Amino acid sequence: EVLLTSERYRVERLPFSRVTHSDVAFFERLMPGRVITDPEELKPFNVDWLKSVRGSSKLVLKPQTTAEVSQVLRYCYERNLAVNPQGGNTGLVGGSVPVFDEIILSTVLMNQIISFDKVSGILVCQAGCVLEKLNDYLEEQHFIMPLDLGAKGSCHIGGNVATNAGGLRLLRYGSLRGTVLGLEVVLADGSTLDCLTSLRKDNTGYDLKQLFIGSEGTLGVITAVSILCPQKPKAVNLAFLGCQSFAKVLETFTTCRAMLGEILSAYEFMDEKCMELVERHLKLSSPVAGSPFYILIETSGSSVIHDEEKLTNFLERAMTSGLVTDGTVATDDKKIKASTWFILISLICQMLWSLRERITEALTHDGYVYKYDISLPVEKLYDLVTDTRAQLGQRAKNVVGYGHLGDGNLHLNITTEAYSHSLLDTIEPFVYEWTARYNGSISAEHGLGFKKKQFIHYSKPSKAVSIMQCFKATLDPKGILNPYKMLPSS
């Protein structure tokens, strides 16, 4: 583990109160059997899943209701006890674990579906619901979640909203800022803000829910979510293609968007280094080989014949014009058709998505990983990867790039045998300066958390940061909610 808290950022503990025996006794009376103080049980809550940051909390609370969250925060506010809200703990920027001894408020038991309207497609649920389980529930009703992530088996919808997670379906269904209709939030002083509307149109005053979407638990604790869910598509097709250059990847995307139109639901890209690591460390085999770049295209629609015809026309154009050199196509309609392309059944769909979704897992097997989630103009997307390789030379084991090209979102990953302060100094702020030079964002979908908060000025002007700090001071005047995260010290 790399203790970035103490070694790199030199953060000093703010003058919050420390947890006492009487505090623990109060919480045990409030939620008997759902208070954790055992050091061994506390360990997984104190460390992020990348094992890059670690806190020293002595107390984890597991409320089941909004009323309990309200009582916890009211008590902590009066006692000046710092609180670290935690969902599935799948974040990449150290935002979900304590920096010091903050009380961990886990939403793991807040996992109830409150309602679902089959006519409107509006789901209302508690914040601790696991994304994959929500999607499984909705599929039985012939709907799906508008959000899909590699961490779907662990992440909580409340954490997704709190970080404004992007994911694989954003190209088709948009961001959570558009699909979340309402929120229930408990504020720092324990008061509850009930904006859990199920209306698609509500133009009465400021849209307060937007303050909390992407606020990373620094303004309030999200306890329930109302979200608009699309119907489950009747026809899903995947194409896994090889391209000889990133220019071809971009040109293929332009052609793809023009020819597939409304049925295009995902356009992912990855470089050959990613595929090498997935094959080496996870023993997954790619049906397409020998290309410097690979793209994964998904279409989702309501007509099998219509969608397959559009996809076939696009593939013929892409092949005959030399945009792609090889490829595999999979459909989920349980049929195998004769073609110069390989038409595969639904299990292959899952395998093709695994090649993309498990890149993060493969990287963790390659050594220590420096991870960067960048948003850039699409034509500059891969230039950052090549320039970073040149910047680091032999000091890096691998420098790879993959991501959501349709959204201009690059995941830049650098692996080495072990963590190095000097190497991190070479990477940062180089990556952020490069990103700012081309008017990009240093965080496309994972937030700022603990690791990136001091770099916010590369993406936001000082006035904007100042206004954010004003919001924080207004909603959390004592600063007890997820301190040391997202915003630089005022």
Side-chain angles (χ1 to χ4, degrees):
E1 295 168 12
V2 180
L3 303 186
L4 294 176
T5 301
S6 58
E7 293 184 11
R8 178 167 177 81
Y9 298 120
R10 297 185 179 88
V11 176
E12 293 185 6
R13 186 184 185 279
L14 294 173
F16 298 114
S17 300
R18 296 186 185 275
V19 174
T20 65
H21 291 299
S22 62
D23 296 328
V24 175
F26 170 82
F27 293 126
E28 286 179 337
R29 288 193 300 272
L30 176 64
M31 53 185 81
R34 291 178 281 127
V35 177
I36 297 176
T37 56
D38 179 77
E40 285 301 312
E41 291 185 64
L42 287 166
K43 282 183 178 179
F45 294 93
N46 269 307
V47 183
D48 72 326
W49 79 276
L50 288 174
K51 294 183 169 55
S52 64
V53 287
R54 184 174 67 195
S56 54
S57 177
K58 308 274 192 303
L59 183 63
V60 171
L61 306 177
K62 294 182 177 181
Q64 290 179 318
T65 66
T66 299
E68 287 179 345
V69 174
S70 176
Q71 288 178 277
V72 167
L73 290 185
R74 185 179 299 114
Y75 182 88
C76 291
Y77 189 78
E78 292 172 357
R79 282 274 295 118
N80 196 37
L81 292 165
V83 178
N84 184 108
Q86 187 178 101
N89 197 14
T90 59
L92 301 181
V93 290
S96 58
V97 295
V99 177
F100 294 100
D101 57 346
E102 301 90 86
I103 294 172
I104 297 173
L105 184 65
S106 171
T107 59
V108 68
L109 298 182
M110 300 184 70
N111 55 9
Q112 300 301 306
I113 293 173
I114 298 169
S115 66
F116 178 66
D117 187 321
K118 293 183 181 180
V119 177
S120 65
I122 296 171
L123 172 76
V124 181
C125 64
Q126 286 186 301
C129 290
V130 174
L131 180 60
E132 187 172 46
K133 290 184 178 179
L134 286 177
N135 201 71
D136 291 344
Y137 167 83
L138 288 170
E139 284 198 349
E140 293 177 0
Q141 319 293 322
H142 306 293
F143 284 79
I144 59 171
M145 289 295 287
L147 177 70
D148 188 20
L149 305 170
K152 59 192 171 190
S154 304
C155 64
H156 295 182
I157 187 62
N160 298 149
V161 173
T163 56
N164 190 31
L168 305 167
R169 291 176 177 162
L170 191 142
L171 178 63
R172 174 67 176 272
Y173 301 116
S175 74
L176 289 174
R177 294 196 179 278
T179 54
V180 170
L181 302 178
L183 294 176
E184 180 184 69
V185 182
V186 178
L187 304 179
D189 63 0
S191 59
T192 300
L193 176 64
D194 185 357
C195 291
L196 200 59
T197 179
S198 292
L199 299 173
R200 293 191 65 179
K201 300 180 79 173
D202 179 7
N203 202 18
T204 53
Y206 303 123
D207 190 1
L208 293 180
K209 71 175 182 291
Q210 296 295 347
L211 274 178
F212 301 96
I213 299 173
S215 67
E216 303 186 51
T218 62
L219 300 180
V221 177
I222 295 171
T223 52
V225 177
S226 171
I227 189 166
L228 182 65
C229 303
Q231 286 192 308
K232 182 181 179 180
K234 295 178 181 178
V236 176
N237 299 286
L238 287 179
F240 192 85
L241 311 172
C243 291
Q244 291 302 306
S245 68
F246 191 71
K248 296 289 187 184
V249 172
L250 293 176
E251 194 175 347
T252 303
F253 175 60
T254 302
T255 304
C256 176
R257 190 168 48 180
M259 296 188 69
L260 298 180
E262 79 288 350
I263 66 170
L264 179 63
S265 54
Y267 191 98
E268 302 289 306
F269 92 96
M270 58 224 82
D271 62 21
E272 61 183 340
K273 285 289 185 181
C274 292
M275 287 299 96
E276 287 175 12
L277 294 176
V278 167
E279 292 179 358
R280 183 192 317 157
H281 296 301
L282 305 181
K283 310 304 179 187
L284 296 178
S285 58
S286 171
V288 180
S291 297
F293 294 93
Y294 300 92
I295 52 178
L296 180 63
I297 298 170
E298 181 189 76
T299 65
S300 303
S302 58
S303 171
V304 173
I305 296 174
H306 169 268
D307 293 3
E308 287 187 3
E309 181 180 357
K310 293 189 79 166
L311 182 60
T312 299
N313 290 338
F314 158 71
L315 293 173
E316 288 177 354
R317 172 80 64 84
M319 290 292 287
T320 56
S321 62
L323 293 178
V324 301
T325 53
D326 196 4
T328 294
V329 176
T331 73
D332 71 346
D333 65 350
K334 306 295 189 286
K335 294 185 295 182
I336 300 180
K337 298 183 177 181
S339 172
T340 54
W341 293 83
F342 299 99
I343 308 296
L344 308 173
I345 60 176
S346 59
L347 288 177
I348 306 303
C349 292
Q350 183 178 352
M351 182 273 288
L352 292 178
W353 266 121
S354 292
L355 291 173
R356 163 62 181 86
E357 290 182 319
R358 296 183 68 187
I359 293 172
T360 297
E361 180 186 348
L363 285 160
T364 63
H365 291 284
D366 200 52
Y368 183 83
V369 189
Y370 303 85
K371 307 183 76 66
Y372 298 91
D373 162 43
I374 305 295
S375 185
L376 286 164
V378 288
E379 67 273 9
K380 301 300 298 182
L381 210 61
Y382 202 74
D383 289 348
L384 177 55
V385 181
T386 55
D387 286 359
T388 302
R389 282 184 184 142
Q391 167 81 357
L392 301 182
Q394 297 300 311
R395 300 183 65 188
K397 188 175 179 183
N398 280 297
V399 178
V400 307
Y402 65 97
H404 321 298
L405 188 130
D407 313 321
N409 183 184
L410 169 71
H411 296 308
L412 170 69
N413 287 255
I414 301 152
T415 66
T416 56
E417 293 294 344
Y419 172 78
S420 164
H421 283 308
S422 62
L423 182 59
L424 185 57
D425 288 337
T426 306
I427 300 169
E428 300 174 6
F430 168 79
V431 167
Y432 301 133
E433 289 174 344
W434 197 104
T435 301
R437 189 180 313 133
Y438 295 103
N439 300 311
S441 169
I442 67 167
S443 182
E445 60 181 0
H446 289 295
L448 296 166
F450 176 73
K451 296 180 184 177
K452 289 186 175 182
K453 67 169 189 171
Q454 74 273 29
F455 299 117
I456 190 173
H457 293 287
Y458 285 103
S459 293
K460 290 290 186 290
S462 296
K463 184 62 177 178
V465 175
S466 177
I467 292 173
M468 293 179 199
Q469 289 168 330
C470 288
F471 283 136
K472 172 70 171 173
T474 299
L475 292 173
D476 182 15
K478 292 187 177 181
I480 67 167
L481 287 179
N482 220 11
Y484 324 105
K485 312 288 178 56
M486 200 173 91
L487 295 176
S489 301
S490 58

